[in-house]
Amino acid sequence: MAKDKKWAQKQPMADSSKMNNKDYLKALRELHVETVKLQEWVRHKGIKVCIVFEGRDGAGKGGTIKALTERVSPRIFRVIALSAPTEREKSQMYVQRYLPYLPAAGEVVIFDRSWYNRAGVERVMGFCTKDQVARFLKSIPSVERSIVDSGVILIKYWLEVSQEEQTRRLQARIKDGRKIWKLTGMDLKSYSRWYDYSRARDDMFKMTDTEHAPWLVANSNDKRRARLNIITDLLSRIPYEDVPREAVKLPKRQKPGSYKEPNYPLRLIAEKF
């Protein structure tokens, strides 16, 4: 089981400075080995896992999900990031559009934002009424109870970031051509409503932090530490073992026989590097 692994026994670092990249990559490599073991166990045993990632804009959800899924199969670790609902979906029961994406046996489904949009961005930005929010918060624990009772391991993470660190990250997006797509008009509107989001988060925790589906909060001011801590925590919550495998040995290649490379004018790309 994951909680017995040597890497899971390490004590948190006392130094509050941000983790350097060399130490981060070394620790992440060790965790990637374990996530592959978890993947094989999930597939072998037909386990169903659903992971919800929520948090403020710039809290590091995307980077954490990328770090978690970097070395596993996308056919088993499926990431769900739904766009805005269609008119048809708006007329459905609120959680209905999310239910088809829940895991089947042998799958790990990761929601990059989830049904909790209603408790967060939709509430703060006025995309739903106060009554709709109240009904959602009252009903969702029962929905999650049904999900868990169906055999799904449901894990909910909230990534918390400080005002100062959020500002630094969003400003970095403005200046970095690789990240400008991550800064939307909605992000800018949300940025000015820090305390509205704080109230929404507090109400969400109060109503939906249950024994069967608790909220697990990660300090993400240091992205690297947060990713490692979340992956380590995830591995500790799903009992898994090594799946027995036969030793792998590459077979001999066939001999060319009568095959000859064709004299064909291949359209080679320019080698600029």
Side-chain angles (χ1 to χ4, degrees):
M1 292 167 51
K3 63 183 179 182
D4 295 324
K5 304 295 182 182
K6 180 175 66 174
W7 48 262
Q9 301 290 331
K10 296 177 181 177
Q11 295 298 317
M13 297 181 183
D15 185 6
S16 60
S17 62
K18 293 191 175 181
M19 190 176 201
N20 67 61
N21 196 50
K22 181 180 178 180
D23 290 342
Y24 167 69
L25 292 177
K26 181 177 183 296
L28 185 60
R29 179 182 177 86
E30 294 177 8
L31 291 176
H32 279 158
V33 173
E34 298 301 322
T35 57
V36 171
K37 291 179 183 179
L38 172 63
Q39 169 186 267
E40 296 307 293
W41 186 252
V42 165
R43 177 164 54 182
H44 178 66
K45 288 294 186 178
I47 298 169
K48 299 180 287 185
V49 182
C50 179
I51 309 169
V52 170
F53 280 97
E54 294 287 345
R56 299 179 188 272
D57 293 325
K61 297 180 293 298
T64 300
I65 292 171
K66 182 178 179 181
L68 172 60
T69 60
E70 191 174 358
R71 295 294 179 175
V72 292
S73 169
R75 290 184 293 274
I76 297 176
F77 277 71
R78 297 190 293 112
V79 179
I80 308 299
L82 299 184
S83 57
T86 64
E87 289 302 315
R88 180 178 182 276
E89 288 171 333
K90 289 178 182 178
S91 70
Q92 296 175 339
M93 180 178 70
Y94 181 74
V95 297
Q96 186 174 341
R97 70 190 296 245
Y98 296 95
L99 298 181
Y101 298 97
L102 291 175
E107 293 180 346
V108 178
V109 170
I110 300 169
F111 281 98
D112 184 355
R113 294 199 182 275
S114 65
W115 45 87
Y116 282 103
N117 274 344
R118 172 131 296 181
V121 63
E122 291 189 14
R123 167 182 169 167
V124 173
M125 303 308 297
F127 296 151
C128 60
T129 67
K130 291 182 179 180
D131 287 343
Q132 287 175 319
V133 174
R135 287 198 299 270
F136 169 80
L137 291 175
K138 183 179 180 180
S139 65
I140 202 63
S142 297
V143 174
E144 292 178 347
R145 175 82 265 179
S146 296
I147 292 173
V148 172
D149 287 347
S150 74
V152 174
I153 298 174
L154 177 59
I155 302 173
K156 304 187 304 192
Y157 288 110
W158 175 271
L159 278 65
E160 188 61 43
V161 66
S162 68
Q163 292 189 54
E164 295 76 17
E165 182 62 16
Q166 185 193 51
T167 298
R168 189 194 68 77
R169 292 177 186 178
L170 295 183
Q171 286 178 335
R173 293 180 183 180
I174 297 173
K175 301 174 183 177
D176 192 334
R178 301 167 299 172
K179 299 178 180 179
I180 53 175
W181 65 273
K182 299 173 71 175
L183 188 62
T184 66
M186 187 63 62
D187 294 333
L188 296 175
K189 292 179 181 178
S190 299
Y191 174 78
S192 65
R193 302 185 181 184
W194 176 272
Y195 292 105
D196 288 341
Y197 272 99
S198 294
R199 295 184 185 95
R201 176 204 58 197
D202 296 346
D203 289 345
M204 182 186 74
F205 283 173
K206 181 179 178 181
M207 297 293 292
T208 65
D209 182 26
T210 60
E211 288 298 320
H212 60 272
W215 278 106
L216 307 170
V217 181
N219 178 352
S220 67
N221 278 339
D222 184 334
K223 288 182 178 181
R224 291 168 180 163
R225 292 185 196 275
R227 293 167 188 169
L228 298 178
N229 288 333
I230 289 172
I231 297 173
T232 300
D233 181 84
L234 173 65
L235 291 168
S236 74
R237 293 179 184 277
I238 307 174
Y240 66 95
E241 300 174 8
D242 287 340
V243 175
R245 298 184 64 180
E246 295 183 4
V248 178
K249 184 178 180 181
L250 291 176
K252 292 182 179 180
R253 292 191 191 272
Q254 65 181 160
K255 295 182 178 180
S258 61
Y259 177 80
K260 293 182 179 180
E261 291 284 348
N263 184 20
Y264 185 83
L266 301 174
R267 302 175 189 272
L268 298 174
I269 65 169
E271 296 184 353
K272 297 185 178 181
F273 299 94

